[in-house]
Amino acid sequence: MKNIRNFCIIAHIDHGKSTLADRLLEFTKTVGERDMHAQVLDNMELEQERGITIKSHAIQMEYPFEGEEYKLNLIDTPGHVDFSYEVSRSIAACEGALLIIDATQGIQAQTISNLYLAIEHDLEIIPVLNKMDLPNAMPEAVEDQIIDLIGCDHEEIIHASGKTGDGIEKILESIVHKIPAPKGDPNAPLQALIFDSVFNSFRGIIAYFKVTNGQIRKKDLVKFIATGKEYNADEVGVLKLGLQPRDVLSAGDVGYIISGIKTAKEVKVGDTITHVNNPCQNIIEGFEEVKPMVFAGIYPIDADDYEDLRNAMDKLQLNDASLTFEPESSAALGFGFRCGFLGLLHMEIIQERLEREFDMNVITTVPNVSYLAHLTDGSTQTVYNPSGMPVSTTIEQIDEPYIRANIITASEFIGPVMNLCLDKRGTLVSQNYLTSERAELVFTLPLGEIVFDFYDKLKSISKGYASFDYHMSGFKPAKLVRLDILLNGEMVDALSTLIHFDNAYTFGRRMCEKLKELIPRQQFDIAIQAAIGAKIIARETVKAVRKDVTAKCYGGDITRKRKLLEKQKKGKKRMKQVGNVEVPQKAFLAVLKLD
């Protein structure tokens, strides 16, 4: 055990985690030259395309040092705030962390938030200054920021470059010297923590775990404590670039188990594995329950695909434990699921993965957050979607969730960033200068206001330099109304939103204009209306496509034309009674992207 080191890599988005991981794998010869490509651990097509890490990836490296062979278990983690649950799970399976900071950008919001997560778990932190080969690197300024943040010495900060491979050897030496070996007793009853899982269509569910105490051998009879189910360990092994079987894994090891589990509900991330014959007395403290921030409905485009969608969601939840879902039905869209996501990017990624990995074509409704409705009879109801809002006469008050947001930005953008937050009904809590060039702003903001486009706007007004991180701070009363969209007098429940009273008119107006562009013309007029209760606040009309029936009349009396037009008008009226309006998926998505 004394030669095992478990560590993860934490950083802000685009600070070079995956590139640095590539160099570590190259240096320790874990990945051969033939298999080597950029971001080798990001094995999902989406990750390669977008250049972001979505899943944390575990891999074992062997490193000979001072005459001994060390086993280094590396977990590369995502940097985006929407995948912070991945980071928290990875941190729970490690004893140390490489904190990577871009020498050209300095410390950003997500760096701080991930660092606090690591400190809470008592991890040993190794600060690494990455991208030192770039001409605009500012090592002295960034070093001072790091020292202010974690209180280390100048000598402890490693200068490195993921691109050229500088400093990689020094990083590996620091890992061996500074990160403690895992604590645990190989002779105690088995105790192993599941930190991730993945579905394989041939072998069932593969669970990744870290052994805290005891040993696990091939063919052992094991039990998953949370579900109480028992299995034979058909295969156990370690995670290299692929899966490598081993006969035994003991305390401190990180590996995988295949036991022929077919149903997704039987594996829970954060569960403890133990032996059936010699069980451990207590379970390992798992991870806190994930708290979804954004809710949206996901519905199959074809109602017959409902069961397939359920299976796809189950398999996806295995691989992404931060996704929560429950069945719901809608008048406009039929049966589907109400899903909870950690943010808008998370929602977009889930939708993409459903399409790519499971061939599911889905419609996603307007995202919203959960509200608390206090009713006149003294009871309280949690409202997840606008159609579930009780009748307005029975509501005493509505509370909406608030967040505490940390924004770190260059001093020149403080004005526009403040204006943006104040427009979103935010209140400034504090403002302090980290250096003469950079400031940290702390705001409390309603979560519902940042769900749509806050992050995009923040990035554009700060030229990409502002970084943003948030956590929940509780509920406050708010003046909210339900805005409905009516097509020819019929309500489309998937387009309903809960919105602050002051913003309702402009939002309704813009929504009608946008839908007018996107709804294809029919052979009858379509009235698009925005309504609050029974009051219509905005209206647009999609004009009918008309055939020119009077083209054959030239000259003669006007009554000839009149007769043809009246005949056409009757046909249109009859058509309007039986015709219905299809809302294209584009329209649902466009509502999310209203500027």
Side-chain angles (χ1 to χ4, degrees):
M1 259 178 82
K2 69 178 178 33
N3 287 4
I4 298 176
R5 300 286 181 270
N6 297 322
F7 68 99
C8 59
I9 300 183
I10 53 177
H12 190 77
I13 315 154
D14 276 345
H15 280 205
K17 293 178 295 297
S18 300
T19 314
L20 206 74
D22 288 355
R23 297 293 84 75
L24 290 170
L25 296 178
E26 230 171 33
F27 190 87
T28 54
K29 299 192 171 48
T30 307
V31 179
E33 281 180 23
R34 272 178 55 190
D35 299 324
M36 197 63 209
H37 56 83
Q39 275 92 24
V40 68
L41 288 180
D42 294 350
N43 51 12
M44 210 187 295
E45 197 181 311
L46 256 177
E47 295 179 313
Q48 295 280 343
E49 250 174 53
R50 290 176 176 236
I52 56 175
T53 305
I54 293 169
K55 286 287 305 162
S56 47
H57 301 276
I59 190 162
Q60 189 178 85
M61 307 182 285
E62 265 136 27
Y63 176 55
F65 180 65
E66 293 177 351
E68 295 199 41
E69 188 75 35
Y70 286 90
K71 272 198 280 187
L72 310 179
N73 291 313
L74 152 75
I75 303 181
D76 178 28
T77 63
H80 198 283
V81 61
D82 280 16
F83 307 115
S84 53
Y85 191 61
E86 287 287 326
V87 183
S88 71
R89 298 201 330 252
S90 310
I91 284 174
C94 293
E95 280 82 39
L98 293 183
L99 177 70
I100 293 185
I101 293 146
D102 185 335
T104 61
Q105 293 188 332
I107 285 173
Q108 296 193 293
Q110 205 53 37
T111 318
I112 296 175
S113 131
N114 288 344
L115 173 71
Y116 286 159
L117 268 178
I119 291 173
E120 270 172 38
H121 284 82
D122 291 337
L123 299 199
E124 182 61 46
I125 310 287
I126 299 175
V128 177
L129 207 48
N130 195 18
K131 304 196 186 179
M132 286 298 292
D133 57 311
L134 294 181
N136 59 338
M138 344 168 263
E140 291 81 12
V142 179
E143 272 188 10
D144 292 341
Q145 291 177 22
I146 298 172
I147 290 164
D148 283 350
L149 185 66
I150 58 177
C152 60
D153 298 329
H154 273 283
E155 299 73 58
E156 291 177 50
I157 300 170
I158 300 171
H159 289 200
S161 162
K163 196 169 171 189
T164 61
D166 287 347
I168 295 299
E169 198 165 351
K170 207 167 168 198
I171 292 175
L172 287 165
E173 284 175 23
S174 296
I175 290 168
V176 171
H177 284 311
K178 287 190 180 171
I179 294 178
K183 297 179 182 68
D185 178 2
N187 303 318
L190 172 68
Q191 227 184 1
L193 174 75
I194 299 178
F195 65 88
D196 205 355
S197 54
V198 59
F199 183 81
N200 181 310
S201 44
F202 300 108
R203 314 200 59 183
I205 290 161
I206 303 171
Y208 299 154
F209 62 86
K210 177 197 177 187
V211 186
T212 311
N213 289 312
Q215 292 186 331
I216 181 168
R217 293 173 187 280
K218 196 174 166 179
K219 298 282 180 255
D220 274 354
L221 186 61
V222 295
K223 176 180 176 181
F224 288 25
I225 292 181
T227 53
K229 296 277 200 317
E230 298 177 3
Y231 309 100
N232 275 316
D234 298 336
E235 184 182 305
V236 294
V238 295
L239 302 154
K240 290 292 182 82
L241 200 52
L243 305 177
Q244 292 204 350
R246 294 278 189 273
D247 288 333
V248 61
L249 294 177
S250 80
D253 280 328
V254 173
Y256 69 91
I257 177 171
I258 299 176
S259 47
I261 307 171
K262 288 286 185 283
T263 46
K265 297 234 176 340
E266 293 178 23
V267 177
K268 280 193 168 57
V269 165
D271 195 358
T272 305
I273 306 175
T274 188
H275 281 131
V276 173
N277 307 331
N278 182 12
C280 58
Q281 293 310 306
N282 49 357
I283 59 169
I284 305 170
E285 284 299 314
F287 320 107
E288 71 277 13
E289 278 295 301
V290 58
K291 291 193 282 288
M293 298 284 186
V294 176
F295 297 89
I298 287 188
Y299 293 85
I301 284 178
D302 184 353
D304 300 342
D305 295 340
Y306 177 70
E307 276 307 316
D308 295 344
L309 180 62
R310 180 194 288 277
N311 291 336
M313 298 284 274
D314 272 340
K315 288 172 187 169
L316 202 52
Q317 194 179 32
L318 265 181
N319 198 236
D320 184 348
S322 52
L323 170 69
T324 56
F325 64 91
E326 54 188 47
E328 85 166 349
S329 62
S330 141
L333 301 168
F335 289 104
F337 295 97
R338 180 110 212 116
C339 304
F341 308 99
L342 295 183
L344 275 192
L345 176 69
H346 187 210
M347 174 174 130
E348 207 179 306
I349 295 289
I350 292 289
Q351 199 178 340
E352 283 259 326
R353 286 184 71 181
L354 281 171
E355 280 176 21
R356 290 185 185 208
E357 294 172 29
F358 303 100
D359 264 352
M360 294 301 309
N361 285 329
V362 293
I363 288 180
T364 312
T365 62
V366 180
N368 58 354
V369 296
S370 55
Y371 297 93
L372 291 178
H374 298 284
L375 307 182
T376 44
D377 61 3
S379 61
T380 303
Q381 192 176 333
T382 308
V383 180
Y384 293 107
N385 59 349
S387 53
M389 184 59 91
V391 189
S392 54
T393 50
T394 64
I395 298 175
E396 185 99 357
Q397 72 170 45
I398 303 172
D399 291 356
E400 64 175 337
Y402 268 70
I403 58 156
R404 190 182 173 92
N406 287 45
I407 300 168
I408 294 181
T409 179
S411 333
E412 61 194 278
F413 304 121
I414 286 179
V417 169
M418 277 191 168
N419 284 341
L420 173 68
C421 294
L422 295 171
D423 287 348
K424 298 282 185 189
R425 300 190 284 126
T427 39
L428 181 65
V429 176
S430 69
Q431 169 185 357
N432 59 27
Y433 282 84
L434 303 172
T435 65
S436 58
E437 300 294 308
R438 298 158 65 74
E440 180 185 31
L441 304 171
V442 180
F443 274 90
T444 54
L445 287 153
L447 181 60
E449 292 284 343
I450 67 159
V451 162
F452 286 108
D453 52 3
F454 179 79
Y455 193 63
D456 297 346
K457 281 187 175 168
L458 180 68
K459 281 292 181 198
S460 54
I461 61 175
S462 64
K463 300 186 181 165
Y465 281 118
S467 58
F468 170 67
D469 180 46
Y470 61 89
H471 53 263
M472 292 294 291
S473 68
F475 283 81
K476 291 184 188 173
K479 193 177 180 187
L480 297 171
V481 289
R482 187 173 106 187
L483 182 72
D484 294 322
I485 297 293
L486 311 175
L487 294 181
N488 279 348
E490 293 283 316
M491 189 181 121
V492 184
D493 62 351
L495 287 174
S496 298
T497 48
L498 284 170
I499 191 163
H500 196 266
F501 182 76
D502 300 343
N503 305 340
Y505 175 74
T506 47
F507 188 73
R509 166 99 270 142
R510 283 181 1 223
M511 212 146 156
C512 290
E513 285 164 6
K514 195 77 185 171
L515 287 170
K516 183 185 177 182
E517 291 169 27
L518 292 163
I519 289 179
R521 290 169 71 185
Q522 312 281 338
Q523 296 202 346
F524 51 88
D525 282 0
I526 304 169
I528 304 169
Q529 295 166 312
I532 297 173
K535 185 181 174 191
I536 305 292
I537 57 168
R539 171 183 170 133
E540 292 288 337
T541 310
V542 180
K543 283 294 179 197
V545 183
R546 294 185 48 180
K547 180 182 173 189
D548 189 358
V549 287
T550 58
K552 61 186 180 188
C553 296
Y554 50 94
D557 189 19
I558 185 70
T559 51
R560 292 177 61 202
K561 289 186 179 178
R562 193 70 291 139
K563 183 178 153 196
L564 290 169
L565 288 168
E566 287 298 323
K567 192 175 167 190
Q568 184 187 34
K569 196 170 164 189
K570 268 187 196 154
K572 295 241 183 259
K573 191 175 174 186
R574 193 169 63 246
M575 196 181 280
K576 188 171 180 175
Q577 285 166 350
V578 296
N580 64 346
V581 186
E582 287 286 314
V583 183
Q585 167 71 357
K586 267 205 321 240
F588 287 109
L589 294 177
V591 171
L592 314 188
K593 298 204 163 60
L594 279 177
D595 297 330

